[in-house]
């Protein structure tokens, strides 16, 4: 269906925490959609989404809105999905929002609308309604989606202005550029990523090269993405602050410290 709907819909009156794992979401518009029509205190707080499969999702497998405090979308598999996640914060967003360790593989246009100009992507970034002071973190994900005619980008910039954002250690194999336009970053870092196609943005330590993915999305032995990862340390929101050591492989298929409940 092209109409709004999904596997999990949390709206006004819903409180955290949610643990959503081991599910198979398929053939719907959205997967997990979190929204506040009437923003309350700390709705959508401490949401942990992991180990799920999202298949044939024509819009957003993960779309956090509202307060969005300590959200973790990690170690999920996405097949023929419009995006991995859509980041559309509103004025109530606190953050942080974490998207990490996910694998997306597209073999077709999941929306059937790419020929009309609709963009598919790993991440949609729309900060026209607000930003998240505690940040949005997108790291160590892998996208394998270099399919002709899918209009597939790494980052779909609905707004060029991006604030409080970190994107690191990702593997982007896409039909189009890593960015759909040129971002204007404030308090943000986009670096240490590898992209098959041009970035449209200069990353000091980024690499435009074929990451040499195996059929299952893992890195081949000769991959230039081996050993190029930057260290990622995030206190408070994980049981261990050291998430990724320097020199780790880029992309997903790795272990991370467990997310931690944090009292809002």
């Amino acid at each position: 269906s092209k109409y709004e709907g999904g596997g999990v819909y949390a709206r006004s009156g819903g409180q955290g925490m949610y643990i959503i794992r081991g599910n198979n979401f398929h053939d719907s518009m959205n997967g997990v959609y979190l929204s506040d029509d009437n923003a309350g205190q700390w709705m959508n707080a401490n949401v942990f989404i992991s180990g799920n499969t999202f298949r044939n999702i024509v819009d957003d497998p993960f779309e956090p809105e509202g307060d969005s405090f300590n959200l973790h979308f990690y170690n999920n598999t996405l097949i023929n999905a419009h995006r991995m996640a859509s980041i559309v914060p509103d004025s109530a967003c606190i953050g942080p929002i974490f998207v990490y360790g996910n694998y997306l593989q597209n073999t077709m246009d999941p929306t059937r609308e790419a020929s009309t100009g609709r963009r598919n992507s790993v991440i949609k970034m729309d900060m026209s309604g607000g930003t998240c002071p505690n940040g949005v973190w997108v790291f160590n994900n892998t996208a394998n989606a270099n399919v002709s005619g899918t209009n597939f980008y790494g980052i779909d910039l609905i707004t060029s202005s991006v604030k409080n954002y970190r994107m690191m250690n990702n593997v982007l194999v896409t039909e189009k550029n890593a960015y759909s336009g040129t971002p204007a970053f404030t308090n943000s870092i986009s670096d240490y990523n590898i992209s098959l196609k041009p970035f449209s943005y200069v990353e000091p330590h980024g690499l435009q090269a074929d990451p040499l993915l195996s059929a299952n999305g893992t890195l081949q032995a000769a991959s230039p993405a081996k050993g190029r990862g930057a260290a990622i340390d995030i206190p408070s929101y994980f049981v261990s602050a050291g998430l990724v050591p320097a020199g780790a492989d880029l992309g997903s298929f790795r272990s991370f410290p467990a997310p931690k409940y944090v009292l809002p």
Side-chain angles (χ1 to χ4, degrees):
S1 171
K2 67 181 180 178
Y3 299 101
E4 195 76 37
V8 174
Y9 176 38
R11 57 160 291 161
S12 297
Q15 302 289 333
M17 65 180 296
Y18 309 130
I19 298 175
I20 302 168
R21 63 187 178 202
N23 302 284
N24 182 17
F25 298 89
H26 65 92
D27 300 283
S28 66
M29 181 168 181
N30 293 312
V32 178
Y33 176 45
L34 309 177
S35 177
D36 294 351
D37 288 341
N38 300 299
Q41 185 175 16
W42 302 113
M43 289 188 283
N44 303 331
N46 294 294
V47 179
F48 305 154
I49 304 167
S50 68
N52 303 286
T53 298
F54 298 85
R55 186 188 301 267
N56 301 334
I57 307 298
V58 301
D59 201 50
D60 301 317
F62 177 49
E63 184 173 3
E65 297 181 359
D67 294 350
S68 296
F69 173 80
N70 194 28
L71 307 190
H72 295 253
F73 184 82
Y74 65 103
N75 292 349
N76 298 288
T77 300
L78 305 97
I79 302 170
N80 293 329
H82 173 46
R83 310 192 192 277
M84 183 177 292
S86 286
I87 308 300
V88 191
D90 63 21
S91 58
C93 182
I94 300 298
I97 298 172
F98 300 106
V99 179
Y100 56 99
N102 302 289
Y103 175 57
L104 183 149
Q105 183 173 36
N106 278 12
T107 60
M108 55 173 283
D109 170 24
T111 67
R112 283 77 164 177
E113 295 176 328
S115 61
T116 67
R118 188 178 184 191
R119 295 193 292 257
N120 295 295
S121 66
V122 182
I123 300 290
K124 180 178 84 172
M125 189 62 62
D126 182 356
M127 292 193 168
S128 58
T131 61
C132 304
N134 287 342
V136 176
W137 303 74
V138 178
F139 60 92
N140 285 91
N141 300 284
T142 297
N144 190 6
N146 182 24
V147 180
S148 178
T150 58
N151 203 23
F152 198 95
Y153 291 83
I155 308 299
D156 184 11
L157 292 169
I158 306 301
T159 56
S160 60
S161 177
V162 177
K163 188 176 182 180
N164 305 328
Y165 178 61
R166 302 287 187 274
M167 181 169 178
M168 302 173 68
N169 298 350
N170 297 285
V171 173
L172 305 174
V173 178
T174 59
E175 181 198 15
K176 302 292 187 178
N177 290 352
Y179 283 89
S180 64
T182 302
F185 283 138
T186 302
N187 188 34
S188 300
I189 296 173
S190 181
D191 204 358
Y192 293 94
N193 302 293
I194 185 170
S195 175
L196 177 67
K197 300 298 173 65
F199 279 94
S200 302
Y201 169 80
V202 177
E203 292 194 356
H205 305 94
L207 180 65
Q208 184 190 341
D210 187 343
L212 299 178
L213 297 182
S214 301
N216 64 356
T218 58
L219 302 177
Q220 298 179 24
S223 170
K226 288 276 190 177
R228 292 184 60 92
I232 297 178
D233 297 294
I234 302 173
S236 301
Y237 300 98
F238 296 82
V239 296
S240 172
L243 303 184
V244 181
D249 293 345
L250 303 182
S252 55
F253 304 101
R254 62 171 298 115
S255 298
F256 303 93
K260 184 172 68 175
Y261 178 91
V262 180
L263 186 67

